[in-house]
Each structure stands twice: as structure tokens, then as C-alpha cells.
Amino acid sequence: MRVLDFADGSVPICLEYPDGRVFRKCSSYGDRVPGLNWVEFTLYHDGGLEFMEDRRQILLEAIYEVVDGANFFPVYYQLGGRVDTFLARDCKKALDRLFLQKLTINLGHGISIGIGVQMGVARYITNQITPTYIIAEKLSELIKRLVKRDGVGGLLNLESFGSHPEFRNIVVSLANPSIFTTVCQVIRNDPDSYRVRGYILSKNRIRCLKPLSLFANNPSIELLDLSENRIASAERFCNEMAHFQAKELLLTKNPIEKNSKFPENIKALEKNFTLVNGVAFDKLHRDYCPLDNDIDLEADGTRIDGSNIWKLMEFKDSKDWHALCVSDPFHEYQKDALFDFVFISVDANLSEFYPCYYKYIRREHVFLVRNCFDQIVHLTNIRGMKIVVPPMLDLGERLLNFYLRMNVSVFKDHHLEPHKCIVKAVKESYPAQNRLLDLSQFQANKNLENVVVHMSSPKVLTSVLLVASKQFMENCSEIRLCNNKIIQVYQVNFLTRMGNLRALDLRHNWLHDLSLIQPLEVLPLKSLLLHGNPLCRNYAMASEYVRAVKEIFPQLTTLDGVELQANPGQTPQKNFLCYIGAYELVGDVFLSNYLREFEKARESLLKYYSDDSIFTMTCSYRIVQNQRTGATGQLLRRLSQYNSNARNLHQLDNSKATNFVFVGGMEIVELLLKLPKVTHDFHSLQTDVMHYDGKSAIIYVTGLLRDEAAGSFRGDDLFLAFSRQFVVKLEDDGLGLGKSARRLKITNERFNIMNPSKTMVRNAFKVSHLTHDKILDHKSELDVKDHKLLLFQEVTGLISTWCTSIVEAAEWDFEEALKLFLKKNEANEIPDIAFS
């Protein structure tokens, strides 16, 4: 016998175990009668759940799912090395549902846990521990001391309700619908409940909101805070909240927010709540901006201009948002240019400056800032409330006037925080497989959509690099910082934490002198890229430039992509027309696949284009005089689709030429679908890669194609010569199984139709080109080696030539081939273009 004395004034529980039977893995408890006595539950996890952060909560939530709202109040939960135990009573309906599941609960991810049930382990005696009584006492106390938040009073604070010390001997989790229902019933029946104007229910792991129906149709509710719970289903949420009303609903950090259809999927509740997460329901959308919804620039905040600058010091300690309004009545300057000017005017030695939520409103550029009062003082007092526009086109320096609206909005939880945005953006810029941190054009990162992270500010640059150094430490070997308008690098000793950092890309920035990157000398760099910076123009000869760089970085072996030789004056030029290493682009990596899809599935070509892609077409085909009688009309009709969309400039006046420039993937593919169906003579193709720099390529192809409507002609096949020029951009690193593949996008394309030569016609389609599709369609079965090659290509994502090379090197042993692939990929021996 064991005696459980909870030392809270309740009668102890005497565990006598008169019935020794323990039910396990069965669907019925036979003739046993649960009654009102205590039942002991044993959870058999066999010590295999140590990885779980909150084992008790996860196990109980799995039980709550099964009992489905039936009365169930766990008492005296004990964590054990191999089993957990707890007591409960008056829970027949919950027991029945557990037995229907054969006393097994599912934790997800294929993990199941068995339960043991022992009936009547102790007699229930009046005044023993009673969970509902303890819950009611605590709720009564909380109702008597309601709280106030953001100007709203009368709020019942039930945040992390189960963590109150009064519940140390019982499990009180609002994830359990029966406990949640009890809580709502107690609140409704409390004599002081009329004082309640809102409910804070955050951090309670709530999934089911049906118990809140007890407060239905109460128009006096100001706030319902459901943030940081487990609400996932929009349909269930709308059904359970159909009759609940409140002025404001908080749903942040719930799974329902991550649904791509949010907030449209809760639109059924539009009349129930005025605000959701601080935003008017009718204006709720993903691209939230306080300037659209919450702020009236005519009335909110205190205006500071040249007439009352002295009032600025009243806001020295403010943590609220301030609006900066820059006059530009004719909208002469776009967003990027404006912030270039702004960051010329801010002081590099003061606080980090992060403009947020930019809008052009009523002839003014408006953005919000906070936590940068010293910069605001600098812009008002030192700069005289003017933004400097540098001299352009010999017009001399200009000044843009601005004014402030201080404390224009209170900072709220759902507002963006620049440093959190930077952390997310940096994390997403590091494909671990390549050990490369790519911060090129950092402002274009989707996580920075509503905040300006301008690296011309040395402090902002330092802040970004500090985040990187903490995140990646020894893992990162290269950082790319090109196209970030960097003008200076401050002390960066913290980058020495990145012990394997050997390469840095600073191309196309605003660096005017080598001394501005002198702090980087603490890094043991082997490769440095500085091309495209103004400092490169400071040197008349390449040898002078190399010598100056090596004075700062003596261990450097590669500069601007060129290996440094003993005699820097003999360093070869980097500029060249043809790059053999990119020739695989004309194979299965890009060109061959594109032309096959052009033949058979043109609608699938959309993946090769972006919204900014440009396509033009010309047709220089001339009909010869001795064309077979009757065929000329047919030929003209077949060529009409080319001619009617051709941009033959010598036949068009300038005003019409722009009509035949097709922009965007949808428009381009729509045109391609109109063109006649053709088959390419792959043996006739002549290809070349005239430019390749790792980021882009220019690919030329000429050859012969056959018009597949030739059968409708009363004569010979119709052969057309063609040429195509593709300007291809390689983007999205880290794709595929090997994390080394990159996505291709066509930025510019020119397509020309012309007369074929006699030689091309004479040799047309004399060599059969056996495509991958034809191999698969062949009636004979593939042999074992073909199977292995196809499977290896599917698993690795490699193009066929590389698949064959590796599998043959492994002597057709599939397992050894995979090991060889992983070894080569880890050693960076497989180029990006080897992945399809």
C-alpha cells in the first residue's frame, strides 16, 4: 500500500491495488466496473522518448485526441525511465474510447505507445484531491484581478494556464477539451464574470475551440488572444468560432497562419471580428503595412518640421514608430534611388538605420523607423531636415525636404523587427552543401521585402556579417557580397570565427579605395573578387593593381578569378569569348532538352522563362521562283505564323517595332504555341557558347527543322533553317540531391527562320537521332545496364554523360557508384552543369 498525501488539505489517496489485473492491448475490460474509484494509467515508452522536449505534454495530447472531449483529469503524473504513470477517476467514457483503440496511442512519425490500465487501485473518499475544485479556485482568483493590455482593460489572463503552481499535483492542459470546457463553465458561472472584457488564452497548445461557444453572441468582448497555440484547420476554426464575437482576434504563431490560403480561408468570420492580428479584417492580407491600415498621417503622431524642431527631444526614449516623409511631388525618384540618397545623409557612426514599410503616398516617400533617435536628431539638426541628392547630369547638388511624424504608431507584436528579418534572410542564403554564403543583392531576399537593409552603411554591413559569423562559424568557406553598394568595411575581427573562410566576393560595389577594405586583412583569404568597384580604375597597369592588393592580402592566390603568377605583369586577361567548360549547356543540361520540349510539349517551356524574359523573332525565308505549282499558297500559309509575329526592322516603322517584342513567360509561350509543329534534325545542329561567367551564358544554335504539316503539301517536305540565340541566367543554387544543381532562366531570346542551304537539305534527317523518349518507347526491354543508368540518373539528378562515367568507374556496382558520387560531390569535383 502507498499513501499519496498532497499536503494541500485534501484527504490522502491510499493505493491498495485490490484488483491485480492490468489491461493491455485489449478492446474490452469485461465485467470490471470503473465506478468512481481511482484508475491507474501506465504509459509504456521503454525509455525511447528522451528526444522529446516535453514528453508528458505530447503523451497526454495523444490521449486527449483519443478520448475526444470525454471527462478526463490526470492526477499525480510521474515521469519514469521506462514508464510514466498517473491517476484519474470518473472517466468511464474516456476509458471506453481508449479500449476501442486497444489501449494504444499514436504519437505520429510512426511512433505508437501502449497503455496499461488497472481499475480501482484506490477507493475514492470525499474531500480527496479534486481537479475541478482547484481549477475553480484559481479562476476565481484571476477573475478578481483582471489585467490591462494595449489600452484594453478587463482581460482574463489565462496564458500558460497549466503552469500555475497550484496545479503541481494535477495536469491542467487546455489542449484537453474536457478541461477547457470545465474552465469555460467555471468562468461563465462566476458571479464576477460580467467584468470580463476579453480572454488571453495564448501558449496553451489549444487545438479545439468548441468550449468557447459558452461565450457566444457576447458583443462586449474586446479581445480574444489565441496566439501561440496549435490551431491548424481553418474549416474547424470557422465552425467552432461561428457564434463568438470580439473586437480583436490574435492568431499569431499558429499553424493556421502558415497555410497558403490564409487569411482568405477564415473570411467566413469577417463579421465576428473587427481586427485580426491588429489589422482590419477587410484589409487583412499577407503584404501587411501599417501605412495602409493603421496610420493616419494627417492625424496620428506629432508633426516635427522646421517650425518646431525643439520638440524633438520629447521623444528621446520612445520605442514607437516614427514616420519620415520626403517630398517628391513629381515622383522623380524611385525607391532604390531614394534610399541611396538617404544613406548618404545618415551618419555612419550612429545607430543602425532600418527604414520599414516604405510607401509613396500623396506625392511623398513615406517610411517608418524606430530605435534610431540619434540618427533622427542628425537628420533634423545637422542635415537641416534635407536629404542630399548628389550632382547628376551637371545639374548640381539637390536637396529633398522632409518632415517627421513622431510616435505615429505603437510597436505591436506582429510588426516586423529588422534584426529578425536579417537572421532569416542570412539563414536562407546558405546552401550548406556548397559551404557558400551568398549575400549577393541581399536586399532582394524575400525576407527583406518590407525593410531596407542598405549595406552602404558600414554598421548595417557589420550587423549582417555578425549574424553570419554566429550562424555558420567553421562551416562557411566563401562569402559573396557583390552588388550591395558597399562603400567601406569596418572592423570585422569576428569573422575570424569562420575558421575555414578563404574566399570573398566584393564585385560591383562602391569601394573607391583599397584602404576601405583594410580591416579584412585579418582573414586568411586565398581568393578575392574586386572587379566592378571604382577602386579598380585607380591603377593604370594590372601589375600595379595586383601588387597593391597583395600588400594587404599577401597570402592571396587568386584575384578577380585569375591565378596570380610569380610575375604579376604577366597575369593573363580574364576576358575571353568562348568558355569550353560551359559547353555542356548545349547538351542535356539545357539546349537538347529545350528543343525536344519545343517539338513535343511547348506548354512545358514556361519553366525556362521568367516574368522579365524577352523574346523576338525574325523571318528571312524567301520563296524561290521555281517552287512546285500549288505549293506556294500552302507555303505562305505555313510561314504566316512566323511572318505575322516577326520583328523584321527593315520592313517595319519604329512605331510598330515594339509590338513584336514579347515579354514574360506567359506571353512568350502563348506565341510559341501558335507556331507550326516541327521536328529538329539534331545531326545538323551547330552550337556555341560565346560567353559564360558562372552566372550567365550566351548560347547560339543553328540547324535544320522540318515542318510537320508537310504531309498537307503536294510536293516535297518543307525544310526550314533556323538560328536561335539564348541569353541564359543560372540561378537558385543548391538544388537536386547533390545540392549542386542550378535552375536556368532565359532572359533574352532571338529566333530566326531562313532558307536552308542545299547541303543541309541534301543531308536532312539522314542520321537517326535516338532520343531518350524513343529509347523508353522501344518495344524491346532495356538491359540491366540501362536500368542502372536510368535509376542512377533519377537518384542523383546527373546528366547522362556523368551518370555513365561514374557507373562505369564503379564497374556497374550500383552501391559503389553511389558512394563514388557522394565522395566526388563532397570534394566539389562535380560541376554545377553536370546536374540536370
Side-chain angles (χ1 to χ4, degrees), residues 576-580 582-586 590-591 686-701 724-730 744-750:
F576 43 77
L577 290 176
C578 197
Y579 187 79
I580 297 174
Y583 274 170
E584 286 190 278
L585 285 172
V586 304
F590 167 67
L591 187 59
Q686 296 184 27
T687 60
D688 205 354
V689 179
M690 298 303 293
H691 166 79
Y692 178 77
D693 61 5
K695 285 287 187 180
S696 61
I698 299 176
I699 302 170
Y700 287 91
V701 57
R724 299 184 85 151
Q725 174 188 315
F726 300 90
V727 180
V728 176
K729 181 180 179 182
L730 292 86
L744 300 170
K745 290 292 182 182
I746 301 170
T747 61
N748 200 311
E749 179 184 358
R750 182 179 60 80

Side-chain angles (χ1 to χ4, degrees), residues 96 102 106 233 322 498 504 603 637 689-690 714 797 807:
D96 290 342
K102 294 189 176 181
N106 183 14
S233 168
H322 313 300
M498 305 174 82
L504 190 62
E603 63 278 358
R637 279 193 286 275
V689 179
M690 298 303 293
R714 292 178 298 176
V807 174

Side-chain angles (χ1 to χ4, degrees), residues 711-745:
S712 65
F713 285 80
R714 292 178 298 176
D716 298 330
D717 289 336
L718 172 59
F719 295 120
L720 303 172
F722 76 97
S723 67
R724 299 184 85 151
Q725 174 188 315
F726 300 90
V727 180
V728 176
K729 181 180 179 182
L730 292 86
E731 57 184 15
D732 289 345
D733 288 308
L735 304 177
L737 179 67
K739 303 299 182 184
S740 296
R742 286 185 289 178
R743 183 173 290 116
L744 300 170
K745 290 292 182 182

